[in-house]
Amino acid sequence: MISARGLRKSFGDFEAVKGIDVEVRRGEAFGFLGPNGAGKSSTMRMIASVSPVSSGELRILGMDPATDGPAIRGRLGVCPQEDTLDNELSVFDNLYIYGRYFGIDRATCRDRAHELLEFAQITDKAKAKVENLSGGMKRRLTIARSLINSPDLLLLDEPTTGLDPQARHVLWDQLFRLKQAGVTLVITTHYMDEAEQLCDRLVVMDKGLIAAEGSPRELIDAHSTREVAELRFGVGEHEALAEKVEDLGERVEVLPDRLLVYSDKGEEVVTAVLERGLQPIATLVRRSTLEDVFLRLTGRSLAD
Amino acid sequence: MALVTGIPAPLTPVSAARLLVLRNFIVYRSAWKLFLTGFLEPLLYLFSIGIGVGQLIDGFEFHGEQVPYATFVAPAMLATSAFNGALLDSTFNVFFKLKYEKLYDQMLATPLSTGDIARGEITWGLMRGSVYSAAFLLVMVAMGLVESWWALLALPATVLIAFAFSAVCMALTTWMKSWQDFDKITLAQMPLFLFSATFFPVEAFGNGVLRWIVEATPLFRGVVLCRELTTGVVTWESAVSVVYLVVMGIVGLLVVRRRLDTLLLT
């Protein structure tokens, strides 16, 4: 579906994407995980065929975006980072007119619009102005709109950023359904839980490069331990206490507000810490996540 | 869920432009009152100055023919209504869509191209100007301010005026950074309206550089074209105006397209 070789994007002197190789297969959910400024959105815009490739090779659905932009875009669904809905049109007309832009005939557009209103659970808002919708509804409408042409490939740029937890789960459920219907999904996110939930395979991006690639499980197995013991001490004590627990795990990460001790047996770490007479304010043993993978690979957390 | 089966045929430039017009039409269907303002302005000028002030003036000589004052002013207001109508959508509205609504970014996620957007929006501006002009022309006929069958050609002439201004103003709008920049448009609009031989003959500027400058401005070309057609005194000046306006519109269209490429396809 997507094949990139040595793909680069620069804006003047600034290089946002510094040569990445990506291969996305039909039917899979593929993720770009990374902090803001990692080059995810620039990559997405190149895939969406609205941003010329600076160098390297890019093929979308077997076509070259430089020459076949309209043909590629005809088979893509694009859900941008910000909801760019047509605020001057009603909810229904947003879907209808957008479908017409793809060259889809009137009757099919109308049928599709009604189906997608149901899919997005906003049928009762069909005649409402877009500006009167809640944030979650706007997001669902944006996603519904990106499906109007029954795309082969759906690009979702930070689909759940800014949504409340409930709205996120509704959206995840809908994305699962699409995947089951055979739509290839490409998702960017800086939420590791989202990446773990949705992606079959992902790349971790940092500063315009790919830091790691694999399934969420593979990445965690390869770059982290099974469990993590989180130790929270008083303000400013973490740096100094790090060396006192260093030998308890395979690795220790110092964060401003806590220490992370990586070990396959998290409970034993906590017990040992208490035996040494250290008194953390709070402890937590959890499984490793992609956040830990990212921390390991870049030395920074995703939220930065 | 039903799927869109098969790949729809690629949009032709004409059908793409039609879709943009359809989109704008749907928006204005619920805000048709906004449509009236642009039509009223030239009409009010015609009544107040053309008819009102006209009672104090016998009329002017136009290409050697004596023309009553109202008949002299009316075609200028006809050209102005095309000018106003074209300006309304190709300046403020385009800026809003480009900067705030990100409407063109949405369109570029579909098979539409920057060329389609340029052609579609300019067509819409052109249509708005033409609708105003057509209505104004009917008023002129009803009031007996049309003196020749040549006036039938005044309608395509106003379409041309609307096209030229719509294209060039949309091109200028792509350089606007904030709403304040539109003061410059207003600043250009007023003198163009007042001094394009709209209310008095161009001979008033004497025979020097000033007159030469006025004759080279676009609204003057539109005014003289409409005036020749509605009074029936058609000269080679009309041909000059037609070529001038066609070139102006095409240049504007090409610039709009290039600017949209630069601004949106980054």
Side-chain angles (χ1 to χ4, degrees):
Chain A
M1 302 296 277
I2 301 174
S3 151
R5 294 269 167 278
L7 186 62
R8 287 169 183 271
K9 179 73 200 183
S10 38
F11 302 97
D13 290 339
F14 173 70
E15 202 167 31
V17 180
K18 299 172 182 169
I20 60 169
D21 295 346
V22 176
E23 202 73 44
V24 178
R25 297 186 280 262
R26 182 173 293 273
E28 74 177 339
F30 188 89
F32 288 94
L33 182 69
N36 293 329
K40 306 185 302 280
S41 291
S42 296
T43 306
M44 283 297 245
R45 278 178 57 79
M46 285 192 278
I47 296 173
S49 309
V50 289
S51 169
V53 170
S54 297
S55 78
E57 197 190 79
L58 181 63
R59 283 277 178 286
I60 320 288
L61 306 166
M63 293 180 274
D64 181 354
T67 51
D68 303 315
I72 294 172
R73 295 199 300 265
R75 304 307 308 142
L76 294 187
V78 180
C79 176
Q81 201 167 338
E82 291 160 42
D83 294 316
T84 53
L85 292 161
D86 194 332
N87 290 311
E88 294 182 284
L89 293 176
S90 70
V91 170
F92 178 85
D93 284 336
N94 257 277
L95 295 169
Y96 175 77
I97 287 287
Y98 199 75
R100 297 294 307 279
Y101 294 156
F102 283 88
I104 303 168
D105 64 83
R106 291 188 190 89
T108 312
C109 270
R110 265 195 294 273
D111 293 348
R112 281 292 287 163
H114 284 300
E115 281 170 11
L116 289 168
L117 284 174
E118 230 158 90
F119 171 78
Q121 302 168 14
I122 44 176
T123 305
D124 54 328
K125 299 278 181 191
K127 292 201 171 94
K129 285 265 171 205
V130 169
E131 55 193 5
N132 297 333
L133 298 183
S134 70
M137 285 178 183
K138 278 187 191 170
R139 203 69 194 143
R140 295 208 299 274
L141 176 58
T142 306
I143 291 178
R145 194 182 62 171
S146 69
L147 295 171
I148 194 92
N149 59 331
S150 304
D152 295 324
L153 178 59
L154 181 60
L155 308 178
L156 300 140
D157 199 354
E158 308 207 347
T160 64
T161 298
L163 293 188
D164 61 45
Q166 201 188 350
R168 292 180 81 197
H169 282 283
V170 172
L171 210 61
W172 284 350
D173 174 56
Q174 285 166 339
L175 294 178
F176 273 127
R177 284 168 202 228
L178 289 173
K179 206 184 126 194
Q180 272 174 351
V183 180
T184 308
L185 304 177
V186 174
I187 300 159
T188 76
T189 181
H190 56 237
Y191 296 124
M192 49 175 182
D193 55 341
E194 184 161 277
E196 286 188 56
Q197 285 268 347
L198 293 175
C199 299
D200 300 318
R201 231 151 47 82
L202 55 91
V203 289
V204 177
M205 280 191 82
D206 185 41
K207 294 176 185 153
L209 289 167
I210 289 176
E213 181 177 353
S215 71
R217 197 67 255 158
E218 283 167 6
L219 285 170
I220 291 166
D221 288 345
H223 300 283
S224 191
T225 53
R226 204 170 67 85
E227 292 185 333
V228 189
E230 293 197 1
L231 310 172
R232 190 184 294 268
F233 292 98
V235 177
E237 291 175 12
H238 297 97
E239 193 80 49
L241 290 169
E243 47 189 69
K244 294 193 181 172
V245 298
E246 217 166 24
D247 56 319
L248 295 177
E250 285 181 25
R251 204 161 54 84
V252 175
E253 288 284 352
V254 185
L255 297 185
D257 61 340
R258 65 210 136 119
L259 290 176
L260 304 179
V261 184
Y262 290 90
S263 162
D264 285 336
K265 298 193 170 87
E267 288 297 346
E268 289 179 14
V269 173
V270 174
T271 312
V273 166
L274 296 174
E275 276 170 4
R276 288 183 184 185
L278 300 174
Q279 292 174 327
I281 300 166
T283 63
L284 168 73
V285 174
R286 59 170 176 81
R287 288 177 45 184
S288 278
T289 67
L290 287 172
E291 174 92 42
D292 300 300
V293 172
F294 189 77
L295 201 58
R296 174 72 194 272
L297 293 171
T298 69
R300 291 174 299 123
S301 66
L302 279 168
D304 288 347
Chain B
M1 202 183 295
L3 296 176
V4 175
T5 45
I7 298 166
L11 291 166
T12 62
V14 174
S15 57
R18 265 219 314 260
L19 286 173
L20 265 88
V21 169
L22 172 68
R23 184 259 166 210
N24 289 336
F25 175 73
I26 292 178
V27 171
Y28 273 102
R29 209 170 39 184
S30 54
W32 58 271
K33 282 177 200 148
L34 289 178
F35 230 89
L36 285 180
T37 50
F39 169 65
L40 284 177
E41 196 181 293
L43 199 63
L44 294 176
Y45 274 109
L46 176 66
F47 287 134
S48 66
I49 299 192
I51 314 271
V53 178
Q55 293 181 347
L56 311 173
I57 304 169
D58 291 338
F60 287 121
E61 214 171 70
F62 177 60
H63 291 336
E65 302 257 341
Q66 188 66 25
V67 183
Y69 188 64
T71 311
F72 179 86
V73 169
M77 294 305 107
L78 177 65
T80 304
S81 63
F83 168 69
N84 279 350
L87 234 66
L88 285 170
D89 272 302
S90 57
T91 55
F92 293 100
N93 289 352
V94 162
F95 184 72
F96 182 65
K97 291 171 184 172
L98 183 66
K99 284 258 172 178
Y100 294 92
E101 286 276 285
K102 309 271 179 207
L103 183 69
Y104 305 139
D105 289 293
Q106 298 172 42
M107 291 174 173
L108 288 175
T110 74
L112 294 177
S113 67
T114 47
D116 293 330
I117 294 171
R119 285 186 292 270
E121 289 292 60
I122 290 168
T123 304
W124 173 255
L126 170 164
M127 286 172 67
R128 187 163 180 183
S130 308
V131 167
Y132 289 156
S133 300
F136 194 87
L137 195 56
L138 288 177
V139 173
M140 282 173 67
V141 172
M143 291 173 61
L145 297 172
V146 171
E147 303 199 319
S148 158
W149 283 103
W150 279 104
L152 283 175
L153 288 178
L155 190 60
T158 56
V159 173
L160 193 56
I161 295 168
F163 165 61
F165 279 103
S166 184
V168 165
C169 290
M170 184 170 173
L172 292 175
T173 298
T174 61
W175 273 283
M176 301 284 167
K177 295 261 184 290
S178 71
W179 294 106
Q180 277 75 38
D181 287 344
F182 284 98
D183 289 347
K184 292 171 196 157
I185 294 242
T186 318
L187 207 64
Q189 192 181 358
M190 273 311 272
L192 273 183
F193 169 62
L194 292 173
F195 297 109
S196 293
T198 29
F199 298 111
F200 51 87
V202 70
E203 285 79 8
F205 293 106
N207 275 322
V209 183
L210 198 57
R211 173 164 172 187
W212 186 85
I213 291 173
V214 169
E215 292 207 15
T217 58
L219 187 57
F220 174 84
R221 300 310 330 168
V223 167
V224 84
L225 177 62
C226 286
R227 190 170 285 147
E228 291 198 349
L229 292 170
T230 60
T231 55
V233 194
V234 180
T235 70
W236 57 270
E237 276 214 64
S238 285
V240 172
S241 294
V242 168
V243 173
Y244 181 110
L245 293 168
V246 167
V247 171
M248 174 175 160
I250 290 173
V251 169
L253 177 63
L254 295 176
V255 171
V256 168
R257 193 193 163 152
R258 281 204 55 148
R259 286 289 299 160
L260 291 180
D261 280 344
T262 316
L263 291 174
L264 302 175
L265 301 179
T266 53

